[in-house]
Amino acid sequence: MRSINESVIIDAVRDMCVFTAYNLPKDVGDALRAAAEKEESPLGREVLERIIENSEIAAKEGKPICQDTGLAVFFVEYGADICIEHGSLTDAINEGVRRGYRDGYLRKSVVKSPLDRVNTGDNTPAIIHIEETPGDKLVINMMAKGGGCENMSRHAMLWPGDGEEGIKHFVVDSVEKAGANPCPPIIVGVGIGGDFEISAMLSKKALLRKLGSENPDPALAGMEKEILLRINQLGIGPQGFGGTTTALGVHIISHPCHIASLPVAVNIECHAHRHAKVIL
């Protein structure tokens, strides 16, 4: 059994919150630059160049890429041979978020109740998904999820007979209805199967896959390419000003499901796809 002190987790999460707010991940930056070179619309190309410039200024000056510094979302792989000393994993993550949003001067965007809308003042509680895994490693994936793109999420319980074409249509239709609201170019996460809540969770987890990487499932890889092509033919373009770059990528995760069901969830991420990973 390997022990990890709660303070180590707190410090790691605190640093992740600040880093993701100021720095665009390399895979996202590379995808934006590649898109700017291929964009056919002059205005769309100009928008992409300004997005890239904004991210470079944010990193250089230590300022948030976007004023919406997001809801802190975590996907954690918790090794079965790990023991947390002097606290719990959930408490440590929330304390790290609390310190990160305070020390980084990041906007606190969490309200205590969806009805009274009173701000918690420290951006907690975070959204935390924990998966037990073999071994003695603690892998923490963090995403700062903005409200504009999160609000464009959609879910459907399709009929099994709707099949692959029904899934493609639902995803593309979701992006078309979202329009400029999620600040394109976007990354589209899709969860297929499981049940109502599993498909939604997987659609968000899918966003953590490296942009430009191939889906290990050949059938899903083909679907991703087809959906991405259809989305970029919509003409929404960067920030909704028109163009050939509406999405940078489509990532799909599937899961076994009931014979009578075909759950599909779409989770959209904005161009400021702020995420980080640490292994403790």
Side-chain angles (χ1 to χ4, degrees):
M1 183 67 69
R2 175 172 168 255
S3 295
I4 300 178
N5 194 287
E6 180 191 46
S7 63
V8 174
I9 301 169
I10 292 172
D11 289 344
V13 170
R14 180 263 178 208
D15 292 345
M16 291 173 80
C17 290
V18 177
F19 182 85
T20 56
Y22 299 169
N23 299 274
L24 205 59
K26 185 178 184 302
D27 62 330
V28 182
D30 289 346
L32 286 169
R33 281 184 280 274
E37 291 179 2
K38 295 186 295 183
E39 176 55 55
E40 296 177 10
S41 163
L43 180 55
R45 192 180 314 113
E46 173 71 16
V47 171
L48 287 168
E49 288 170 354
R50 296 291 74 77
I51 287 172
I52 295 166
E53 181 184 23
N54 176 74
S55 68
E56 291 171 346
I57 293 171
K60 181 179 178 180
E61 298 188 4
K63 295 178 179 178
I65 296 170
C66 176
Q67 51 82 26
D68 183 352
T69 50
L71 178 64
V73 180
F74 294 86
F75 286 87
V76 183
E77 298 172 29
Y78 193 164
D81 297 326
I82 290 174
C83 174
I84 309 298
E85 291 182 347
H86 308 301
S88 73
L89 178 59
T90 299
D91 288 346
I93 290 174
N94 276 310
E95 181 59 25
V97 170
R98 193 172 291 114
R99 296 184 189 184
Y101 276 74
R102 177 197 66 199
D103 298 347
Y105 299 97
L106 310 180
R107 194 184 81 182
K108 287 78 174 176
S109 303
V110 177
V111 294
K112 184 176 182 180
S113 163
L115 301 180
D116 64 28
R117 315 303 292 185
V118 176
N119 201 295
T120 63
D122 59 11
N123 222 57
T124 68
I127 304 299
I128 306 171
H129 303 281
I130 300 174
E131 177 185 359
E132 186 176 353
T133 57
D136 63 354
K137 301 295 183 185
L138 184 66
V139 181
I140 305 175
N141 288 281
M142 185 245 178
M143 187 189 315
K145 197 68 164 62
C149 56
E150 183 71 3
N151 288 346
M152 296 300 104
S153 304
R154 291 182 75 201
H155 190 284
M157 300 299 290
L158 300 181
W159 299 109
D162 291 328
E164 183 176 324
E165 187 55 38
I167 295 169
K168 292 176 182 177
H169 174 78
F170 177 69
V171 177
V172 176
D173 184 64
S174 297
V175 174
E176 186 170 23
K177 284 182 167 61
N181 291 316
C183 295
I186 58 177
I187 300 97
V188 183
V190 183
I192 305 172
D195 59 2
F196 181 86
E197 73 272 15
I198 289 295
S199 57
M201 184 272 291
L202 291 178
S203 71
K204 184 163 290 182
K205 185 178 181 181
L207 294 171
L208 292 171
R209 200 180 91 213
K210 183 179 178 181
L211 268 174
S213 63
E214 187 89 357
N215 194 310
D217 184 319
L220 296 182
M223 284 185 67
E224 290 177 351
K225 291 174 183 176
E226 174 65 23
I227 293 171
L228 181 61
L229 178 64
R230 294 190 192 183
I231 288 173
N232 285 331
Q233 290 174 338
L234 293 173
I236 296 170
Q239 294 292 74
F241 287 108
T244 53
T245 311
T246 297
L248 299 173
V250 175
H251 295 172
I252 301 174
I253 299 179
S254 69
H255 194 279
C257 67
H258 193 281
I259 57 172
S261 299
L262 181 56
V264 182
V266 176
N267 193 247
I268 295 175
E269 179 71 308
C270 65
H271 67 264
H273 180 28
R274 298 155 296 181
H275 62 92
K277 174 181 179 178
V278 296
I279 301 176
L280 302 175

